[in-house]
Amino acid sequence: MNSLNVIVLAAGKGTRMHSDRPKVLHKLAGRALLQHVLETTSQLQPSKVCVVYGHGGEAVPEAMAEFDATFVLQMPQLGTGHAVQQALPELTGDTTSLVLYGDVPLIQAATLLPMLTASHALSLLTLHLEYPAGYGRIVRDAAGKVTSIVEEKDATPEQRAIKEVNTGILSAPTRLLRHWLAELKNDNAQGEYYLTDIVAMAVAQGVEVRTVHPKHSWEVLGVNSKQQLAELERLWQREQVHHLLAQGVTLADPARLDVRGKLTCGRDVEIDVGCIFEGEVTLGDRVHVGAYTLIRAASIAADTHVAPFSLIDQAEVGSNCFIGPYARLRPGSKLHDGVHIGNFVEIKNSEIAANSKANHLSYIGDSTVGSRVNIGAGTITCNYDGANKHRTVIGDDAFIGSDTQLVAPVTVGRGATIGAGSTITRDTPDGELTLSRSKQTTITGWKRPQKGK
Ligand code: UD1
Ligand code: MG
């Protein structure tokens, strides 16, 4: 597969999306349609990737900046053949060029690889459809050899009855592609330069035309409307659920789970309804994820239990932890084994050592917390002075009484106890009780004001 060129057509307007955003930047499973195509493309290890864009201006190249691709503007859009013509100056070498569509996001490398094996031939990805309306039809002769592709608008009634359709994805020897594209004309029903006209040219020159079929029909479905986008999202989710179930993951309801990235699970993992997984997520053996939990780019080690309505974002969670319900782990949170984080507790950019607990209503930010620490309800690290962030360090075996404010930078000693309701502004010694609290007084005989008559 040396010197493979991939051309991704992405200039179409996407009128039926009814959106100001270019069609290929709409998201499926959390990633732009074009991003899916470019990620699959990179699995083919091409020497050149060329994206033909048009509508939406620079938004498309800007959104795809992470990819090693060349962006070529097609303005105006005069058809698929015209689109590929714009890419020709960018193509390298003399071997194969593969044409993909930016709005056909689920095409898989396993389907494309067989299209790249015959470097002398024109390979078309085709499919048989019960209802072929809207697609170009594959015309074959009596011997079954492909003779041309005819667009629906140019087709005779007999040709319209053909059920083998053109998915639009094709590969061709780059040298021949250049030659054919130079010959294209737009004397057809739509006045466009059809890429599909190269098929009849290949046949006339005696170049072999092969057809390859997708492994799954959903791979070649395109997105032209929000309806189709939603349908494709469901198809893709069903596909991912299928893999998870096959691996032995228990899903309370396979229809109520969304994987927007890559979810890797150990054995006997259980996931309740309504959970969303984004980016790369790893769940260890016997992890249980409670209902309506969102986990993004995080790893959770074995036997940890996440209770419902939790949000775990770019965090690392050890084994045997209890998280939630209603817990929020923000980026840079690292919890060691046996940590308990309870309801309405927010952890940010903090490391919490083994067996420590913050069970209720706390904010722990920019902190280093030792082992076996108990953080009482309502404890807050005051890490931000309006300009800078400061660290809080809590030693092993410390006990932080409820409703404590730890004004960073501050260190609580090992085994130290902080009395409830304290505002701690200076470091506290190991093993001692520290508290800051005004003395309780009682005014005897005090009477509550009464409402006037
Ligand atoms: C095309 C094929 C048709 C096939 C169908 C599959 C041609 C002439 N027809 O038809 O045989 O069955 O796809 O969906 O190729 N694009 C550009 N610039 C343009 C025109 C299109 O970049 O000037 C891009 C679009 O953004 C889209 C793709 O090319 O990603 C296909 O364009 P579309 O207009 O959907 O082609 P169809 O007419 O549906
Ligand atoms: Mg189309």
Side-chain angles (χ1 to χ4, degrees), residues 125-183:
L125 190 65
T126 76
L127 179 75
H128 286 82
L129 289 181
E130 200 47 43
Y131 303 101
Y135 288 90
R137 308 294 206 282
I138 307 295
V139 182
R140 293 178 184 267
D141 64 16
K145 282 201 162 156
V146 175
T147 57
S148 65
I149 296 178
V150 59
E151 290 305 298
E152 177 158 283
K153 286 184 177 138
D154 302 289
T156 63
E158 293 73 33
Q159 288 169 331
R160 285 188 193 190
I162 296 170
K163 290 186 171 173
E164 187 182 5
V165 303
N166 174 33
T167 64
I169 292 173
L170 59 80
S171 71
T174 305
R175 186 178 50 85
L176 293 176
L177 188 64
R178 285 184 199 279
H179 174 71
W180 295 329
L181 286 173
E183 305 288 307

CSV table of all heavy atoms in Angstrom, one decimal, residues 125-183:
chain,number,residue,atom,x,y,z
A,125,LEU,N,-17.0,0.4,-4.7
A,125,LEU,CA,-17.7,-0.2,-3.6
A,125,LEU,C,-19.2,-0.1,-3.9
A,125,LEU,O,-19.8,1.0,-4.0
A,125,LEU,CB,-17.4,0.6,-2.3
A,125,LEU,CG,-17.8,0.0,-1.0
A,125,LEU,CD1,-17.1,-1.3,-0.7
A,125,LEU,CD2,-17.6,0.9,0.2
A,126,THR,N,-19.8,-1.2,-4.0
A,126,THR,CA,-21.3,-1.2,-4.4
A,126,THR,C,-22.0,-2.1,-3.4
A,126,THR,O,-21.5,-2.8,-2.6
A,126,THR,CB,-21.5,-1.8,-5.8
A,126,THR,OG1,-21.3,-3.2,-5.8
A,126,THR,CG2,-20.5,-1.2,-6.8
A,127,LEU,N,-23.3,-2.0,-3.6
A,127,LEU,CA,-24.2,-2.6,-2.6
A,127,LEU,C,-25.6,-2.9,-3.3
A,127,LEU,O,-26.0,-2.1,-4.1
A,127,LEU,CB,-24.4,-1.6,-1.5
A,127,LEU,CG,-25.3,-1.8,-0.3
A,127,LEU,CD1,-24.6,-2.7,0.7
A,127,LEU,CD2,-25.5,-0.4,0.4
A,128,HIS,N,-26.2,-4.0,-2.9
A,128,HIS,CA,-27.6,-4.2,-3.4
A,128,HIS,C,-28.6,-3.7,-2.4
A,128,HIS,O,-28.5,-4.0,-1.2
A,128,HIS,CB,-27.8,-5.7,-3.6
A,128,HIS,CG,-27.0,-6.2,-4.8
A,128,HIS,ND1,-25.7,-6.5,-4.8
A,128,HIS,CD2,-27.4,-6.4,-6.1
A,128,HIS,CE1,-25.3,-6.9,-6.0
A,128,HIS,NE2,-26.4,-6.8,-6.8
A,129,LEU,N,-29.5,-2.9,-2.9
A,129,LEU,CA,-30.5,-2.3,-2.0
A,129,LEU,C,-31.9,-2.6,-2.6
A,129,LEU,O,-32.2,-2.6,-3.8
A,129,LEU,CB,-30.4,-0.8,-2.0
A,129,LEU,CG,-29.2,-0.2,-1.2
A,129,LEU,CD1,-29.3,1.3,-1.3
A,129,LEU,CD2,-29.2,-0.7,0.2
A,130,GLU,N,-32.8,-3.0,-1.7
A,130,GLU,CA,-34.2,-3.2,-2.0
A,130,GLU,C,-34.8,-2.0,-2.6
A,130,GLU,O,-35.6,-2.0,-3.6
A,130,GLU,CB,-35.0,-3.7,-0.8
A,130,GLU,CG,-36.2,-4.5,-1.1
A,130,GLU,CD,-36.1,-5.6,-2.1
A,130,GLU,OE1,-35.1,-6.3,-2.1
A,130,GLU,OE2,-37.0,-5.6,-3.0
A,131,TYR,N,-34.5,-0.8,-2.0
A,131,TYR,CA,-35.0,0.5,-2.5
A,131,TYR,C,-33.8,1.3,-2.9
A,131,TYR,O,-33.3,2.1,-2.1
A,131,TYR,CB,-35.9,1.1,-1.4
A,131,TYR,CG,-37.0,0.3,-0.9
A,131,TYR,CD1,-36.9,-0.5,0.3
A,131,TYR,CD2,-38.2,0.2,-1.7
A,131,TYR,CE1,-37.9,-1.3,0.7
A,131,TYR,CE2,-39.2,-0.7,-1.3
A,131,TYR,CZ,-39.1,-1.4,-0.1
A,131,TYR,OH,-40.1,-2.2,0.3
A,132,PRO,N,-33.4,1.2,-4.2
A,132,PRO,CA,-32.2,1.9,-4.6
A,132,PRO,C,-32.4,3.4,-5.0
A,132,PRO,O,-31.4,4.1,-5.4
A,132,PRO,CB,-31.8,1.1,-5.9
A,132,PRO,CG,-33.1,0.6,-6.4
A,132,PRO,CD,-34.0,0.4,-5.3
A,133,ALA,N,-33.6,4.0,-4.7
A,133,ALA,CA,-33.9,5.3,-5.2
A,133,ALA,C,-32.8,6.3,-4.7
A,133,ALA,O,-32.4,6.3,-3.5
A,133,ALA,CB,-35.2,5.8,-4.7
A,134,GLY,N,-32.4,7.2,-5.6
A,134,GLY,CA,-31.5,8.3,-5.2
A,134,GLY,C,-30.0,8.0,-5.5
A,134,GLY,O,-29.2,8.9,-5.6
A,135,TYR,N,-29.7,6.7,-5.7
A,135,TYR,CA,-28.3,6.3,-5.9
A,135,TYR,C,-28.0,6.2,-7.4
A,135,TYR,O,-28.9,5.9,-8.2
A,135,TYR,CB,-28.0,5.0,-5.2
A,135,TYR,CG,-27.9,5.1,-3.8
A,135,TYR,CD1,-29.1,4.9,-3.0
A,135,TYR,CD2,-26.7,5.3,-3.1
A,135,TYR,CE1,-29.0,4.9,-1.6
A,135,TYR,CE2,-26.6,5.3,-1.7
A,135,TYR,CZ,-27.8,5.1,-1.0
A,135,TYR,OH,-27.7,5.1,0.4
A,136,GLY,N,-26.8,6.3,-7.7
A,136,GLY,CA,-26.3,5.9,-9.1
A,136,GLY,C,-26.4,4.4,-9.2
A,136,GLY,O,-26.1,3.7,-8.2
A,137,ARG,N,-26.8,3.9,-10.4
A,137,ARG,CA,-27.0,2.4,-10.5
A,137,ARG,C,-25.7,1.8,-11.3
A,137,ARG,O,-25.2,2.5,-12.2
A,137,ARG,CB,-28.2,2.1,-11.3
A,137,ARG,CG,-29.5,2.7,-10.8
A,137,ARG,CD,-29.9,2.2,-9.4
A,137,ARG,NE,-31.3,2.4,-9.3
A,137,ARG,CZ,-31.9,3.5,-9.0
A,137,ARG,NH1,-31.2,4.6,-8.8
A,137,ARG,NH2,-33.3,3.6,-8.9
A,138,ILE,N,-25.4,0.6,-10.9
A,138,ILE,CA,-24.3,-0.1,-11.5
A,138,ILE,C,-24.9,-0.9,-12.7
A,138,ILE,O,-25.7,-1.8,-12.5
A,138,ILE,CB,-23.6,-1.1,-10.5
A,138,ILE,CG1,-23.2,-0.4,-9.2
A,138,ILE,CG2,-22.5,-1.8,-11.2
A,138,ILE,CD1,-22.2,0.7,-9.4
A,139,VAL,N,-24.4,-0.5,-13.9
A,139,VAL,CA,-24.9,-1.1,-15.1
A,139,VAL,C,-23.9,-2.2,-15.5
A,139,VAL,O,-22.7,-2.0,-15.6
A,139,VAL,CB,-25.1,-0.1,-16.3
A,139,VAL,CG1,-25.7,-0.8,-17.5
A,139,VAL,CG2,-26.0,1.1,-15.8
A,140,ARG,N,-24.5,-3.4,-15.7
A,140,ARG,CA,-23.6,-4.6,-16.1
A,140,ARG,C,-24.1,-5.1,-17.5
A,140,ARG,O,-25.3,-5.0,-17.8
A,140,ARG,CB,-23.7,-5.7,-15.1
A,140,ARG,CG,-23.0,-5.3,-13.8
A,140,ARG,CD,-23.1,-6.4,-12.7
A,140,ARG,NE,-22.6,-6.0,-11.4
A,140,ARG,CZ,-21.4,-6.2,-11.0
A,140,ARG,NH1,-20.5,-6.8,-11.8
A,140,ARG,NH2,-21.0,-5.9,-9.8
A,141,ASP,N,-23.2,-5.7,-18.2
A,141,ASP,CA,-23.5,-6.4,-19.5
A,141,ASP,C,-24.1,-7.8,-19.2
A,141,ASP,O,-24.1,-8.2,-18.1
A,141,ASP,CB,-22.4,-6.3,-20.5
A,141,ASP,CG,-21.2,-7.2,-20.0
A,141,ASP,OD1,-21.4,-8.0,-19.1
A,141,ASP,OD2,-20.1,-7.0,-20.6
A,142,ALA,N,-24.4,-8.5,-20.3
A,142,ALA,CA,-25.0,-9.8,-20.2
A,142,ALA,C,-24.1,-10.8,-19.5
A,142,ALA,O,-24.5,-11.7,-18.8
A,142,ALA,CB,-25.3,-10.3,-21.6
A,143,ALA,N,-22.8,-10.5,-19.6
A,143,ALA,CA,-21.8,-11.4,-18.9
A,143,ALA,C,-21.6,-11.0,-17.5
A,143,ALA,O,-20.8,-11.6,-16.8
A,143,ALA,CB,-20.5,-11.4,-19.7
A,144,GLY,N,-22.3,-10.0,-17.1
A,144,GLY,CA,-22.2,-9.5,-15.7
A,144,GLY,C,-21.0,-8.5,-15.4
A,144,GLY,O,-20.8,-8.2,-14.3
A,145,LYS,N,-20.4,-8.1,-16.5
A,145,LYS,CA,-19.3,-7.1,-16.3
A,145,LYS,C,-19.8,-5.7,-16.2
A,145,LYS,O,-20.7,-5.3,-17.0
A,145,LYS,CB,-18.3,-7.2,-17.5
A,145,LYS,CG,-17.4,-8.4,-17.5
A,145,LYS,CD,-16.2,-8.1,-18.3
A,145,LYS,CE,-15.1,-9.1,-17.9
A,145,LYS,NZ,-14.1,-9.3,-19.0
A,146,VAL,N,-19.3,-4.9,-15.3
A,146,VAL,CA,-19.7,-3.5,-15.2
A,146,VAL,C,-19.4,-2.8,-16.4
A,146,VAL,O,-18.3,-2.9,-17.0
A,146,VAL,CB,-19.0,-2.9,-14.0
A,146,VAL,CG1,-19.3,-1.4,-13.9
A,146,VAL,CG2,-19.3,-3.6,-12.7
A,147,THR,N,-20.4,-2.0,-16.9
A,147,THR,CA,-20.1,-1.2,-18.1
A,147,THR,C,-20.1,0.3,-17.8
A,147,THR,O,-19.5,1.1,-18.5
A,147,THR,CB,-21.1,-1.5,-19.2
A,147,THR,OG1,-22.4,-1.3,-18.7
A,147,THR,CG2,-21.0,-2.9,-19.7
A,148,SER,N,-20.9,0.7,-16.8
A,148,SER,CA,-21.0,2.1,-16.5
A,148,SER,C,-21.8,2.3,-15.2
A,148,SER,O,-22.3,1.4,-14.6
A,148,SER,CB,-21.7,2.9,-17.6
A,148,SER,OG,-23.1,2.5,-17.6
A,149,ILE,N,-21.7,3.5,-14.7
A,149,ILE,CA,-22.6,3.9,-13.6
A,149,ILE,C,-23.6,5.0,-14.2
A,149,ILE,O,-23.1,5.9,-14.9
A,149,ILE,CB,-21.9,4.5,-12.4
A,149,ILE,CG1,-21.0,3.5,-11.8
A,149,ILE,CG2,-22.9,5.1,-11.4
A,149,ILE,CD1,-20.2,4.0,-10.6
A,150,VAL,N,-24.8,4.8,-13.9
A,150,VAL,CA,-25.8,5.9,-14.4
A,150,VAL,C,-26.5,6.5,-13.2
A,150,VAL,O,-26.9,5.8,-12.3
A,150,VAL,CB,-26.8,5.3,-15.5
A,150,VAL,CG1,-27.6,4.1,-14.9
A,150,VAL,CG2,-27.7,6.4,-16.0
A,151,GLU,N,-26.4,7.8,-13.2
A,151,GLU,CA,-27.1,8.6,-12.1
A,151,GLU,C,-28.6,8.4,-12.3
A,151,GLU,O,-29.1,8.3,-13.4
A,151,GLU,CB,-26.7,10.0,-12.1
A,151,GLU,CG,-25.3,10.2,-11.8
A,151,GLU,CD,-24.9,9.6,-10.4
A,151,GLU,OE1,-25.5,10.0,-9.4
A,151,GLU,OE2,-24.1,8.7,-10.4
A,152,GLU,N,-29.3,8.4,-11.2
A,152,GLU,CA,-30.8,8.2,-11.2
A,152,GLU,C,-31.4,9.2,-12.2
A,152,GLU,O,-32.3,8.8,-13.0
A,152,GLU,CB,-31.4,8.3,-9.8
A,152,GLU,CG,-32.9,8.2,-9.9
A,152,GLU,CD,-33.5,7.7,-8.6
A,152,GLU,OE1,-33.4,6.5,-8.3
A,152,GLU,OE2,-34.0,8.6,-7.9
A,153,LYS,N,-31.0,10.5,-12.1
A,153,LYS,CA,-31.7,11.5,-12.9
A,153,LYS,C,-31.4,11.3,-14.4
A,153,LYS,O,-32.2,11.8,-15.2
A,153,LYS,CB,-31.2,12.9,-12.5
A,153,LYS,CG,-31.8,13.3,-11.2
A,153,LYS,CD,-31.5,14.7,-10.8
A,153,LYS,CE,-32.2,15.1,-9.5
A,153,LYS,NZ,-31.4,15.8,-8.5
A,154,ASP,N,-30.4,10.5,-14.8
A,154,ASP,CA,-30.1,10.2,-16.2
A,154,ASP,C,-30.5,8.9,-16.6
A,154,ASP,O,-30.3,8.5,-17.8
A,154,ASP,CB,-28.6,10.4,-16.4
A,154,ASP,CG,-28.1,11.8,-16.0
A,154,ASP,OD1,-28.4,12.7,-16.7
A,154,ASP,OD2,-27.4,11.9,-15.0
A,155,ALA,N,-31.1,8.1,-15.7
A,155,ALA,CA,-31.4,6.7,-16.0
A,155,ALA,C,-32.7,6.4,-16.7
A,155,ALA,O,-33.6,7.2,-16.6
A,155,ALA,CB,-31.4,5.9,-14.7
A,156,THR,N,-32.7,5.4,-17.5
A,156,THR,CA,-33.9,4.9,-18.2
A,156,THR,C,-34.7,4.1,-17.1
A,156,THR,O,-34.1,3.7,-16.1
A,156,THR,CB,-33.5,3.9,-19.3
A,156,THR,OG1,-32.9,2.8,-18.8
A,156,THR,CG2,-32.6,4.6,-20.4
A,157,PRO,N,-36.0,3.9,-17.4
A,157,PRO,CA,-36.8,3.1,-16.4
A,157,PRO,C,-36.2,1.8,-16.2
A,157,PRO,O,-36.2,1.3,-15.0
A,157,PRO,CB,-38.2,3.0,-17.1
A,157,PRO,CG,-38.2,4.2,-18.0
A,157,PRO,CD,-36.8,4.5,-18.5
A,158,GLU,N,-35.6,1.1,-17.2
A,158,GLU,CA,-35.0,-0.2,-17.0
A,158,GLU,C,-33.8,-0.1,-16.0
A,158,GLU,O,-33.6,-0.9,-15.2
A,158,GLU,CB,-34.5,-0.8,-18.3
A,158,GLU,CG,-35.6,-1.2,-19.3
A,158,GLU,CD,-36.2,0.1,-20.0
A,158,GLU,OE1,-35.5,1.1,-20.2
A,158,GLU,OE2,-37.5,0.0,-20.3
A,159,GLN,N,-33.0,1.0,-16.3
A,159,GLN,CA,-31.8,1.2,-15.4
A,159,GLN,C,-32.2,1.5,-14.0
A,159,GLN,O,-31.6,1.1,-13.0
A,159,GLN,CB,-30.9,2.3,-16.0
A,159,GLN,CG,-30.2,1.9,-17.2
A,159,GLN,CD,-29.5,3.0,-18.0
A,159,GLN,OE1,-30.0,4.2,-17.9
A,159,GLN,NE2,-28.5,2.7,-18.7
A,160,ARG,N,-33.3,2.2,-13.8
A,160,ARG,CA,-33.8,2.5,-12.5
A,160,ARG,C,-34.2,1.3,-11.7
A,160,ARG,O,-34.2,1.3,-10.4
A,160,ARG,CB,-35.0,3.5,-12.5
A,160,ARG,CG,-34.5,4.9,-12.9
A,160,ARG,CD,-35.6,5.9,-12.7
A,160,ARG,NE,-35.1,7.1,-13.4
A,160,ARG,CZ,-35.7,8.3,-13.3
A,160,ARG,NH1,-36.8,8.4,-12.6
A,160,ARG,NH2,-35.2,9.3,-13.9
A,161,ALA,N,-34.5,0.2,-12.4
A,161,ALA,CA,-34.9,-1.0,-11.8
A,161,ALA,C,-33.7,-1.8,-11.2
A,161,ALA,O,-33.9,-2.7,-10.4
A,161,ALA,CB,-35.7,-1.9,-12.7
A,162,ILE,N,-32.5,-1.4,-11.6
A,162,ILE,CA,-31.3,-2.0,-11.1
A,162,ILE,C,-31.2,-1.8,-9.6
A,162,ILE,O,-31.3,-0.6,-9.1
A,162,ILE,CB,-30.1,-1.5,-11.9
A,162,ILE,CG1,-30.1,-1.8,-13.3
A,162,ILE,CG2,-28.8,-2.1,-11.2
A,162,ILE,CD1,-29.1,-1.2,-14.2
A,163,LYS,N,-30.9,-2.8,-8.9
A,163,LYS,CA,-30.8,-2.7,-7.4
A,163,LYS,C,-29.4,-2.6,-6.9
A,163,LYS,O,-29.2,-2.4,-5.7
A,163,LYS,CB,-31.5,-3.9,-6.7
A,163,LYS,CG,-33.0,-3.7,-7.0
A,163,LYS,CD,-33.8,-4.7,-6.2
A,163,LYS,CE,-35.3,-4.4,-6.3
A,163,LYS,NZ,-36.2,-5.4,-5.8
A,164,GLU,N,-28.4,-2.8,-7.8
A,164,GLU,CA,-27.0,-2.6,-7.3
A,164,GLU,C,-26.7,-1.1,-7.4
A,164,GLU,O,-26.8,-0.5,-8.5
A,164,GLU,CB,-26.0,-3.4,-8.1
A,164,GLU,CG,-24.6,-3.4,-7.6
A,164,GLU,CD,-23.6,-4.2,-8.3
A,164,GLU,OE1,-23.9,-4.7,-9.4
A,164,GLU,OE2,-22.5,-4.3,-7.9
A,165,VAL,N,-26.2,-0.5,-6.3
A,165,VAL,CA,-26.0,0.9,-6.3
A,165,VAL,C,-24.5,1.3,-6.0
A,165,VAL,O,-23.8,0.5,-5.5
A,165,VAL,CB,-26.9,1.7,-5.3
A,165,VAL,CG1,-28.4,1.4,-5.5
A,165,VAL,CG2,-26.5,1.3,-3.9
A,166,ASN,N,-24.2,2.5,-6.5
A,166,ASN,CA,-22.9,3.0,-6.2
A,166,ASN,C,-22.8,3.7,-4.9
A,166,ASN,O,-23.6,4.6,-4.6
A,166,ASN,CB,-22.6,4.1,-7.4
A,166,ASN,CG,-21.3,4.8,-7.1
A,166,ASN,OD1,-20.3,4.2,-6.6
A,166,ASN,ND2,-21.2,6.0,-7.6
A,167,THR,N,-21.9,3.3,-4.0
A,167,THR,CA,-21.8,4.0,-2.7
A,167,THR,C,-21.1,5.3,-2.9
A,167,THR,O,-21.1,6.1,-2.0
A,167,THR,CB,-21.0,3.1,-1.7
A,167,THR,OG1,-19.7,3.0,-2.2
A,167,THR,CG2,-21.7,1.7,-1.5
A,168,GLY,N,-20.3,5.4,-4.0
A,168,GLY,CA,-19.5,6.6,-4.2
A,168,GLY,C,-18.1,6.4,-3.9
A,168,GLY,O,-17.2,7.2,-4.4
A,169,ILE,N,-17.8,5.4,-3.1
A,169,ILE,CA,-16.4,5.1,-2.7
A,169,ILE,C,-15.8,4.3,-3.8
A,169,ILE,O,-16.3,3.3,-4.2
A,169,ILE,CB,-16.4,4.4,-1.3
A,169,ILE,CG1,-16.9,5.4,-0.3
A,169,ILE,CG2,-15.0,3.9,-1.0
A,169,ILE,CD1,-17.1,4.8,1.1
A,170,LEU,N,-14.6,4.8,-4.3
A,170,LEU,CA,-13.9,4.0,-5.3
A,170,LEU,C,-12.4,4.2,-5.2
A,170,LEU,O,-11.9,5.1,-4.5
A,170,LEU,CB,-14.4,4.4,-6.7
A,170,LEU,CG,-14.3,5.9,-7.1
A,170,LEU,CD1,-12.9,6.3,-7.6
A,170,LEU,CD2,-15.3,6.2,-8.2
A,171,SER,N,-11.7,3.3,-5.8
A,171,SER,CA,-10.2,3.5,-5.9
A,171,SER,C,-9.8,3.2,-7.3
A,171,SER,O,-10.4,2.5,-8.1
A,171,SER,CB,-9.5,2.5,-5.0
A,171,SER,OG,-9.6,1.2,-5.4
A,172,ALA,N,-8.7,3.9,-7.7
A,172,ALA,CA,-8.2,3.8,-9.1
A,172,ALA,C,-6.7,4.1,-9.1
A,172,ALA,O,-6.2,4.8,-8.2
A,172,ALA,CB,-9.0,4.9,-10.0
A,173,PRO,N,-6.1,3.6,-10.2
A,173,PRO,CA,-4.7,4.0,-10.3
A,173,PRO,C,-4.6,5.5,-10.5
A,173,PRO,O,-5.3,6.1,-11.4
A,173,PRO,CB,-4.2,3.2,-11.6
A,173,PRO,CG,-5.3,2.1,-11.8
A,173,PRO,CD,-6.5,2.7,-11.2
A,174,THR,N,-3.7,6.2,-9.8
A,174,THR,CA,-3.7,7.6,-9.8
A,174,THR,C,-3.5,8.2,-11.2
A,174,THR,O,-4.1,9.1,-11.6
A,174,THR,CB,-2.6,8.1,-8.8
A,174,THR,OG1,-2.8,7.5,-7.6
A,174,THR,CG2,-2.6,9.6,-8.7
A,175,ARG,N,-2.6,7.5,-11.9
A,175,ARG,CA,-2.2,8.0,-13.3
A,175,ARG,C,-3.5,8.0,-14.2
A,175,ARG,O,-3.8,8.9,-14.9
A,175,ARG,CB,-1.2,7.1,-13.9
A,175,ARG,CG,-0.6,7.5,-15.2
A,175,ARG,CD,0.5,6.5,-15.6
A,175,ARG,NE,0.1,5.1,-15.5
A,175,ARG,CZ,-0.6,4.5,-16.5
A,175,ARG,NH1,-0.9,5.1,-17.6
A,175,ARG,NH2,-1.0,3.2,-16.3
A,176,LEU,N,-4.2,6.9,-14.1
A,176,LEU,CA,-5.5,6.8,-15.0
A,176,LEU,C,-6.5,7.8,-14.5
A,176,LEU,O,-7.2,8.3,-15.3
A,176,LEU,CB,-6.0,5.3,-14.9
A,176,LEU,CG,-5.1,4.3,-15.5
A,176,LEU,CD1,-5.7,2.9,-15.4
A,176,LEU,CD2,-5.0,4.6,-17.0
A,177,LEU,N,-6.6,7.9,-13.2
A,177,LEU,CA,-7.6,8.9,-12.6
A,177,LEU,C,-7.4,10.3,-13.2
A,177,LEU,O,-8.3,11.0,-13.6
A,177,LEU,CB,-7.5,8.9,-11.1
A,177,LEU,CG,-8.6,9.7,-10.4
A,177,LEU,CD1,-10.0,9.1,-10.6
A,177,LEU,CD2,-8.3,9.7,-8.9
A,178,ARG,N,-6.1,10.7,-13.2
A,178,ARG,CA,-5.7,12.0,-13.8
A,178,ARG,C,-6.2,12.1,-15.2
A,178,ARG,O,-6.8,13.1,-15.6
A,178,ARG,CB,-4.2,12.2,-13.8
A,178,ARG,CG,-3.6,12.5,-12.4
A,178,ARG,CD,-2.1,12.8,-12.6
A,178,ARG,NE,-1.4,12.6,-11.4
A,178,ARG,CZ,-1.3,13.5,-10.5
A,178,ARG,NH1,-1.9,14.7,-10.6
A,178,ARG,NH2,-0.7,13.3,-9.3
A,179,HIS,N,-5.9,11.1,-16.0
A,179,HIS,CA,-6.3,11.0,-17.4
A,179,HIS,C,-7.8,11.1,-17.6
A,179,HIS,O,-8.3,11.9,-18.4
A,179,HIS,CB,-5.7,9.7,-18.0
A,179,HIS,CG,-6.0,9.5,-19.4
A,179,HIS,ND1,-5.5,10.2,-20.4
A,179,HIS,CD2,-6.9,8.6,-19.9
A,179,HIS,CE1,-6.0,9.8,-21.5
A,179,HIS,NE2,-6.9,8.8,-21.3
A,180,TRP,N,-8.5,10.3,-16.8
A,180,TRP,CA,-10.0,10.3,-17.0
A,180,TRP,C,-10.6,11.6,-16.6
A,180,TRP,O,-11.5,12.1,-17.3
A,180,TRP,CB,-10.6,9.1,-16.2
A,180,TRP,CG,-10.2,7.7,-16.6
A,180,TRP,CD1,-9.9,7.3,-17.9
A,180,TRP,CD2,-10.0,6.6,-15.8
A,180,TRP,NE1,-9.5,6.0,-17.9
A,180,TRP,CE2,-9.6,5.5,-16.6
A,180,TRP,CE3,-10.2,6.3,-14.4
A,180,TRP,CZ2,-9.4,4.2,-16.1
A,180,TRP,CZ3,-9.9,5.1,-13.9
A,180,TRP,CH2,-9.5,4.0,-14.8
A,181,LEU,N,-10.1,12.1,-15.5
A,181,LEU,CA,-10.8,13.4,-15.0
A,181,LEU,C,-10.6,14.5,-16.0
A,181,LEU,O,-11.5,15.4,-16.1
A,181,LEU,CB,-10.2,13.8,-13.6
A,181,LEU,CG,-10.7,12.9,-12.5
A,181,LEU,CD1,-9.9,13.2,-11.2
A,181,LEU,CD2,-12.2,13.0,-12.2
A,182,ALA,N,-9.5,14.5,-16.7
A,182,ALA,CA,-9.3,15.5,-17.7
A,182,ALA,C,-10.3,15.5,-18.9
A,182,ALA,O,-10.6,16.4,-19.6
A,182,ALA,CB,-7.9,15.4,-18.3
A,183,GLU,N,-10.9,14.3,-19.0
A,183,GLU,CA,-11.9,14.1,-20.1
A,183,GLU,C,-13.4,14.3,-19.7
A,183,GLU,O,-14.2,14.2,-20.5
A,183,GLU,CB,-11.8,12.6,-20.6
A,183,GLU,CG,-10.4,12.2,-21.0
A,183,GLU,CD,-10.0,12.8,-22.3
A,183,GLU,OE1,-10.7,12.7,-23.3
A,183,GLU,OE2,-8.9,13.4,-22.4
